[in-house]
Amino acid sequence: MKIIGLVIAVLSGALLMYATVDFPAWGDPASPASTYLSPHFIEKSMEETSVPNIVTAVLADYRGYDTMYETTVIFSAGLACFILLRVFLREEPGERLYRHVLTGVTVRVEGAKLPLSDDFERIDAMWTPPDLIIKTVCRLLIPFIQLFALYVIAHGHHSPGGGFQGGVILGASIIVLAMSQDLRTAVRRMREKLDAILCAIGVLIYAGAGALCLLLGLNFLDYGALTPVLHCDAITARSHGILIVEIGVGVAVMCTMIWIYCNLSSMGKYDEGL
Amino acid sequence: MDIIVTLFLFAGLFFFTGGALGILRFPDFYSRLHPAGKLDTLGLLLAMVGLALFNLHHFCLGALLTSLKIILIVVFVFLASPTATHAIVDAGVRAGLAPWVKGDERR
């Protein structure tokens, strides 16, 4: 069986290699991509979309479908991780560990539950106290990380960046919180349910912006149709439309990052994590 | 001016090279973190100061702002890099990895 698989893999690899012979040479000015497509993007993208960053214009406007399905793929990845890893059956432990926050003393309670209070926090056998240095530095850095993420999302029009990168940085800021404190602190900020809902909402913002264009009488994802909604001319509307879908992408990517991290690091139990 | 910038960049590269060599040559996990954490931060400081100075060739407000942003990178790395090294060492100790002592073989 293994040999058959190997033969198939090698054969298809060789076939793909053979097909590359027919490709135009690297940077060939006569290749179909360079004759009309790239010059059009380079010369016209500014006057058609008023977005100085050609990459953003191509990704979110000229090839908006592609990016929409990429966002959907990321959403599916989060969903798949959730379905595969999440443990729903909770086995109630015979004994619970609590930690007195002020003194750091660990208390073991058998059979019963301590009432919820600020003095005691529930811990697990794997629990390790958060390190003071790491905690303080992360507390200092996280606001700047989040600010930078918003900058990256909003600045995708002018410089490298956009929804995917900004979303990843935003998600990373919550993951850093989870690593420097513990998973419960991070989950308290970004609840599991909120993650899942925001994930879907991000995709919905993207697809909804496209559907709104369809509703207003133009093609799907043709942001020029948003003119009456945004009270501006068609080209500015295209620019704003790109920003709207980038925000959708950012929200979806951020929540998927957090969702996948929480499921992976705690093996779907959401108790301790790394 | 150009000479100073070049000197800064070369000094930065010198420390980066030392860091890379150290990571390859040091015997174990903890000692490898030493060049990775220390030399990279110093190399980064020198290289970024060189770039910030180079950026000030045509002096104006925009160039000054860009230079300040470059220096800001150094500030954040100076905060984050020692913390990361500390966290990694902490994790190693908690996981029970014994430090290398003289006479042991390389790990």
Side-chain angles (χ1 to χ4, degrees):
Chain A
M1 213 53 206
K2 264 186 186 169
I3 294 171
I4 299 174
L6 190 70
V7 167
I8 292 174
V10 168
L11 271 184
S12 47
L15 211 65
L16 286 175
M17 297 278 246
Y18 176 70
T20 54
V21 176
D22 289 341
F23 280 0
W26 176 255
D28 183 8
S31 74
S34 328
T35 46
Y36 68 101
L37 202 59
S38 308
H40 179 89
F41 287 158
I42 292 168
E43 287 160 13
K44 295 278 169 57
S45 72
M46 188 62 195
E47 54 189 271
E48 280 180 358
T49 61
S50 86
V51 172
N53 186 2
I54 300 173
V55 176
T56 303
V58 171
L59 279 183
D61 196 328
Y62 294 113
R63 293 175 52 189
Y65 271 109
D66 191 52
T67 312
M68 189 179 88
Y69 286 116
E70 270 168 29
T71 318
T72 320
V73 163
I74 286 180
F75 171 61
S76 324
L79 206 64
C81 229
F82 170 75
I83 291 170
L84 287 177
L85 289 175
R86 186 77 171 100
V87 180
F88 291 102
L89 270 180
R90 248 241 174 93
E91 51 189 271
E92 284 297 320
E95 55 177 39
R96 290 160 189 270
L97 297 174
Y98 290 91
R99 176 173 164 274
H100 190 232
V101 178
L102 289 176
T103 57
V105 174
T106 303
V107 185
R108 198 180 66 183
V109 181
E110 275 188 46
K113 240 190 217 181
L114 274 193
L116 218 63
S117 76
D118 283 344
D119 295 342
F120 286 92
E121 63 177 351
R122 175 89 197 276
I123 59 175
D124 309 290
M126 296 283 288
W127 186 84
T128 45
D131 190 279
L132 181 67
I133 299 172
I134 301 170
K135 223 166 90 172
T136 317
V137 171
C138 287
R139 189 178 285 163
L140 262 173
L141 284 185
I142 285 170
F144 289 106
I145 296 174
Q146 288 175 337
L147 200 66
F148 182 62
L150 295 179
Y151 170 83
V152 167
I153 294 179
H155 228 249
H157 283 56
H158 295 274
S159 50
F164 287 100
Q165 290 85 342
V168 167
I169 302 172
L170 264 181
S173 72
I174 302 285
I175 292 175
V176 161
L177 180 73
M179 289 200 291
S180 68
Q181 314 257 340
D182 56 2
L183 190 66
R184 281 206 201 98
T185 317
V187 169
R188 226 173 284 140
R189 299 286 156 89
M190 283 294 292
R191 302 249 170 220
E192 192 192 358
K193 205 180 264 179
L194 187 69
D195 273 341
I197 291 172
L198 277 183
C199 230
I201 283 181
V203 180
L204 191 73
I205 290 176
Y206 202 133
L212 193 63
C213 300
L214 199 66
L215 215 64
L216 291 169
L218 280 180
N219 287 332
F220 190 70
L221 285 176
D222 190 347
Y223 311 121
L226 297 175
T227 312
V229 185
L230 297 170
H231 302 292
C232 54
D233 58 292
I235 294 170
T236 320
R238 299 191 82 88
S239 167
H240 289 335
I242 290 179
L243 184 63
I244 293 171
V245 299
E246 290 283 10
I247 290 170
V249 171
V251 169
V253 170
M254 171 184 82
C255 294
T256 314
M257 293 282 296
I258 301 168
W259 208 14
I260 290 180
Y261 173 82
C262 291
N263 276 316
L264 273 181
S265 70
S266 68
M267 312 250 253
K269 281 186 286 193
Y270 278 75
D271 48 2
E272 196 48 63
L274 285 175
Chain B
M1 188 72 167
D2 271 343
I3 297 169
I4 300 174
V5 169
T6 321
L7 276 180
F8 265 117
L9 285 180
F10 266 105
L13 280 180
F14 175 73
F15 283 108
F16 276 135
T17 319
L21 263 181
I23 293 171
L24 289 174
R25 301 269 304 159
F26 272 14
D28 82 324
F29 177 74
Y30 297 117
S31 51
R32 257 179 233 130
L33 281 170
H34 179 74
K38 276 209 157 114
L39 293 178
D40 277 9
T41 38
L42 186 55
L44 185 94
L45 171 71
L46 292 170
M48 289 298 144
V49 167
L51 287 183
L53 282 177
F54 179 74
N55 190 48
L56 287 176
H57 252 293
H58 304 286
F59 191 82
C60 63
L61 190 65
L64 189 69
L65 273 178
T66 312
S67 289
L68 280 180
K69 280 179 200 163
I70 293 176
I71 297 300
L72 208 61
I73 297 175
V74 179
V75 173
F76 282 122
V77 171
F78 268 45
L79 272 176
S81 171
T83 317
T85 314
H86 171 82
I88 296 171
V89 171
D90 202 38
V93 172
R94 270 187 212 291
L97 181 65
W100 176 85
V101 286
K102 209 169 174 186
D104 285 5
E105 57 178 302
R106 281 172 54 92
R107 284 181 274 198

